[in-house]
């Protein structure tokens, strides 16, 4: 029979590398937990309409990349391609915004699905940790989120990332710019698909990476010149707050992001060691999204950082996280009586909070010691018939190689004391 393989564009997280992924998720979420963000978990799939309306019918994510399905009951669902629309849907459904405590600050961590052309850093199943601050219009909130992402990356030791910042304007000034841009783009020499894009989402054309298109865009009208006074002042305040916090950023007026719901502040974290898929995270303000999915006006801001690409960024910078070994004590029993006795010791150690593992399967000393070595344990307990007859077990310090007999009834106390 054929064996199975992980589906195209996906990969499995396996030990020991999977520990790095856990550590990255922890590092990204720690600053959020420390800043008033509460944990939220939503389903892996939603009504397909939520994304069509929320993320936008003109985006690649919705038109090309969504995994959609019809249930046996006839519901049209989609595997979530991103987190913001679901989080806002959940917050609205639970009336979190009515509890009188705005902004509602939430963080999440999970799997997302996009039917993309797989390549390094771009997968069909990937992980994000994200944060959303719902229901407040305050430049300090935009700055807070950017500062916390910067703090998260730095806590992992990353230095080779840059923050790109832009403002997309609001419902007053963006339409005026949109029209000016469309006028400019319609006169260019572009293929049919790009021409269609001019009519539905002209800002996305600015994102085109092809050199011949880029060349033609040099003199495109700049959004900066069209921002209304309120948007200009808001953006200036975000920038001042970031500068005051010592967070460096670069203005990038081509940064439009692939989702329709963004207004005003948008930002992206890019890492220069990643090649084509250089965005490790991104986000922005989405003041109109709540209304787009049937809720009240709730100006909000958020980001999502990609766990997979953050791990690739660590590799690109040659950073090895200092992770504590998963096991502190490894017990190697030689013989039936030792097996029963040391299994009891391991259980007791675990109940005392010591990470302990055991040589299963009745291996000989050599094989079991190999497992002990591989476990990374600091101490190994070995006991055979002669040791038991003397009422001791041999405790070996795997760092110094030193070995000494310890009375059986003192084992747990001795090891617990030596491990602190
Ligand atoms: P986006 O919502 O597209 O801005 O995605 C936010 C972050 O999620 C990106 O900066 C990436 O780090 C990550 N990401 C998005 N799509 C993928 C993908 N197909 N594979 C891996 N990571 C992704």
């Amino acid at each position: 029979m054929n064996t199975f393989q992980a589906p195209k564009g996906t990969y499995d997280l396996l030990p020991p590398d999977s520990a790095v992924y856990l550590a990255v998720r922890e590092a990204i979420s720690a600053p959020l937990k420390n800043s008033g963000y509460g944990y939220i978990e939503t389903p892996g799939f939603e009504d397909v309409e939520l994304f069509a309306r929320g993320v936008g019918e003109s985006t690649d994510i919705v038109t090309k990349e969504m995994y959609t399905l019809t249930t046996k009951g006839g519901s049209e669902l989609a595997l979530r391609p991103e987190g913001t629309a679901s989080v806002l849907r959940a917050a609205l459904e639970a009336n979190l915004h009515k509890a009188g405590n705005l902004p509602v600050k939430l963080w999440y961590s999970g799997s997302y699905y996009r039917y993309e052309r797989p390549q390094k850093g771009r997968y069909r199943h990937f992980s994000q940790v994200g944060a959303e601050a719902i229901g407040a219009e305050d430049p300090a909130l935009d700055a807070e989120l950017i500062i916390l992402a910067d703090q998260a990356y730095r806590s992992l030791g990353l230095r080779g990332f840059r923050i790109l910042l832009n403002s997309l304007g609001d419902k007053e000034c963006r339409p005026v710019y949109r029209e000016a841009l469309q006028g400019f783009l319609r006169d260019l020499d572009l293929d049919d698909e790009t021409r269609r894009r001019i009519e539905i989402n002209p800002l996305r054309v600015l994102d085109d990476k092809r050199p011949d298109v880029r060349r033609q865009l040099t003199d495109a009208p700049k959004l900066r010149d069209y921002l209304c006074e309120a948007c200009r002042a808001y953006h200036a305040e975000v920038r001042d707050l970031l500068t005051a916090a010592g967070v460096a950023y670069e203005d990038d007026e081509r940064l439009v992001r692939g989702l329709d719901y963004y207004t005003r502040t948008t930002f992206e974290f890019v890492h220069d060691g990643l090649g084509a898929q250089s965005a490790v995270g991104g986000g922005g303000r989405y003041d109109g999204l709540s209304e787009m999915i049937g809720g009240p006006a709730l100006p909000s801001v958020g980001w999502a950082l990609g766990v997979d690409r953050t791990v690739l960024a660590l590799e690109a910078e040659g950073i090895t996280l200092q992770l504590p070994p998963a096991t502190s004590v490894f017990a190697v029993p030689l013989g039936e009586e030792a097996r029963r006795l040391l299994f009891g010791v391991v259980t007791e150690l675990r109940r005392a909070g010591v990470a302990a593992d055991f040589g299963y399967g009745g291996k000989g000393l050599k094989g079991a010691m190999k497992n002990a070595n591989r476990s990374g344990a600091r101490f190994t307990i070995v006991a055979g018939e002669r040791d038991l007859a003397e009422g001791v077990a041999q405790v070996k310090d795997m760092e110094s190689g030193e070995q000494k007999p310890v009375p059986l009834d003192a084992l747990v106390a001795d090891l617990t004391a030596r491990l602190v």
Side-chain angles (χ1 to χ4, degrees), residues 268-340:
E268 204 153 82
F269 291 80
V270 292
H271 194 281
D272 293 321
L274 294 189
Q277 303 306 317
S278 62
V280 286
R285 183 155 272 286
Y286 48 92
D287 293 342
L289 179 59
S290 173
E291 288 155 292
M292 282 156 73
I293 62 170
L298 279 175
S300 308
V301 57
W303 53 238
L305 309 190
V307 176
D308 311 75
R309 287 189 200 164
T310 304
V311 172
L312 290 174
L314 288 171
E315 285 167 17
E317 287 198 37
I319 298 169
T320 310
L321 298 181
Q322 294 304 315
L323 303 175
T327 304
S328 302
V329 176
F330 197 98
V332 175
L334 303 172
E336 193 53 29
E337 197 189 339
R339 194 173 68 93
R340 249 177 256 130

Side-chain angles (χ1 to χ4, degrees), residues 114 116 121-123 126 128 257 259 279-282 304-306 309:
R114 294 183 194 173
E116 301 205 72
R122 186 157 76 184
Y123 311 106
F126 57 96
Q128 290 183 337
R257 315 239 331 113
L259 297 79
V280 286
L305 309 190
R309 287 189 200 164

